[in-house]
């Protein structure tokens, strides 16, 4: 029978102890998750509600954003227009971007920028183009586009998203399609 060296015995013992410790920690952790999580979660929610350093915001779900984008694209297709549509959240982050078949290569970026502009000022971009006469420097703000075709989505009067459309022969048509997306959210 072959003798095992002291070094091999120590190494084998260390590996066995580490495996036992990992199994024990895993079992304790799994047990804690199964029994302690509801109490911890309830305490965390209670603490968060009392913390004046936190805020909650309202936003569209991805399903609602997709529904609005598809309704917008459908309205444009029904009118025979090839457009792109973008839905951004309250912070201007793109949630959905659909480039319609045959839409121009510039239309996706323009749609995003129109949506961003609409949600930033809680107004349609056609209305915002009128404001440029009093404040022409607005157009210099990055990522904005002051052309008709963007509409805000509101909850209790506050903007929660923006829908932008680009690619139709006029901004008025783009904005009409964006409004169809907004209206789809009320159904």
């Amino acid at each position: 029978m072959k003798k095992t060296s002291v070094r091999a015995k120590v190494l084998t013992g260390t590996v066995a102890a580490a495996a036992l410790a990992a199994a024990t920690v895993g079992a304790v952790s799994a047990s804690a998750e199964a029994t302690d999580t509801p109490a911890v979660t309830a305490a965390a929610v209670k603490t968060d509600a009392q913390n004046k350093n936190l805020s909650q915001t309202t936003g569209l779900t991805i399903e609602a954003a997709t529904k609005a984008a598809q309704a917008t694209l459908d309205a444009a297709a029904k009118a025979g227009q090839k457009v792109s549509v973008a839905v951004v959240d309250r912070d201007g982050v793109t949630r959905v971007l659909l480039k319609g078949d045959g839409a121009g290569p510039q239309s996706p970026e323009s749609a995003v920028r129109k949506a961003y502009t609409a949600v930033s000022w809680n107004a349609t971009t056609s209305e915002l183009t009128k404001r440029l006469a009093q404040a022409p420097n607005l157009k210099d703000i990055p990522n904005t586009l002051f052309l008709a075709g963007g509409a805000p989505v509101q909850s209790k009067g506050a903007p929660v998203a923006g829908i932008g459309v680009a690619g139709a022969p006029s901004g008025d048509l783009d904005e009409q399609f964006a409004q169809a997306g907004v209206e789809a959210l009320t159904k």
Side-chain angles (χ1 to χ4, degrees), residues 23-85:
T24 303
V25 169
V28 169
S29 178
S31 173
E33 286 178 13
T35 59
D36 295 343
T37 300
V40 170
T41 302
V45 170
K46 183 176 179 183
T47 302
D48 285 351
Q50 296 171 356
N51 188 338
K52 294 183 186 227
N53 294 321
L54 301 177
S55 67
Q56 292 183 338
T57 60
T58 303
L60 294 181
T61 63
I62 193 66
E63 292 82 11
T66 303
K67 176 182 175 180
Q70 189 61 56
T72 301
L73 203 58
D74 291 346
K78 187 175 179 180
Q81 299 301 314
K82 297 173 172 140
V83 301
S84 290
V85 58

Side-chain angles (χ1 to χ4, degrees), residues 81-84 102-104 106-108 110-111 114 165-170 174 177:
Q81 299 301 314
K82 297 173 172 140
V83 301
S84 290
Q106 80 292 351
S107 64
S110 296
K114 288 179 183 184
V165 179
S170 76
D174 285 340
F177 305 142

Side-chain angles (χ1 to χ4, degrees), residues 3 17 32 40 46 58 77 79 99 107-109 117 128 133-134 167 178 181 183:
K3 274 189 141 182
V40 170
K46 183 176 179 183
T58 303
K99 182 181 182 287
S107 64
E109 181 181 345
T117 305
L128 293 170
Q134 289 80 35
E183 291 169 14

Side-chain angles (χ1 to χ4, degrees), residues 148-164:
V153 177
Q154 301 175 340
S155 174
K156 299 177 184 175
V160 294
I163 300 175

